Amino acid sequence: MAIPILLAVLVFTSEYGRVLQMRSVLDNAVSDATRYLARAPRDDDTGVYPPEVIAVAEQIITQRINVEHIAIGAPVPGEVGTSANPDYKTVSLSV
């Protein structure tokens, strides 16, 4: 009677560990892609990233995870520069 309960706990524990590991890999991949985008050149007139820059950022993510189950949003540039560091750029990326 205890064997089905123990097997269920074992399966749950292993699946939970797998989900945590995939979440960690996804967080690191998105962090690396946004770090790349923060340093990548933007179009001077519109402030938008060129398609080849976005493709490299997507490739950084897709090299590490299974892309069948995710959707990568468009990068959104933040404000450029602060009074302390005028070269500072921010960017957000949703996956």
Side-chain angles (χ1 to χ4, degrees):
M1 194 159 181
I3 290 177
I5 294 170
L6 290 174
L7 285 175
V9 169
L10 179 66
V11 168
F12 174 77
T13 303
S14 65
E15 283 297 309
Y16 188 70
R18 189 180 65 83
V19 168
L20 287 178
Q21 188 256 350
M22 286 303 297
R23 174 68 187 249
S24 175
V25 169
L26 180 61
D27 285 345
N28 290 334
V30 171
S31 176
D32 290 345
T34 53
R35 190 175 301 115
Y36 167 76
L37 287 171
R39 290 175 164 68
R42 298 183 199 175
D43 185 10
D44 291 336
D45 298 332
T46 61
V48 177
Y49 293 104
E52 55 273 0
V53 170
I54 294 174
V56 171
E58 288 178 352
Q59 184 180 15
I60 291 171
I61 296 171
T62 57
Q63 285 177 344
R64 299 183 191 179
I65 57 175
N66 185 359
V67 294
E68 294 176 9
H69 304 292
I70 66 166
I72 302 172
V76 179
E79 295 183 21
V80 177
T82 62
S83 59
N85 188 355
D87 295 329
Y88 185 76
K89 295 187 221 176
T90 61
V91 63
S92 63
L93 181 66
S94 62
V95 176

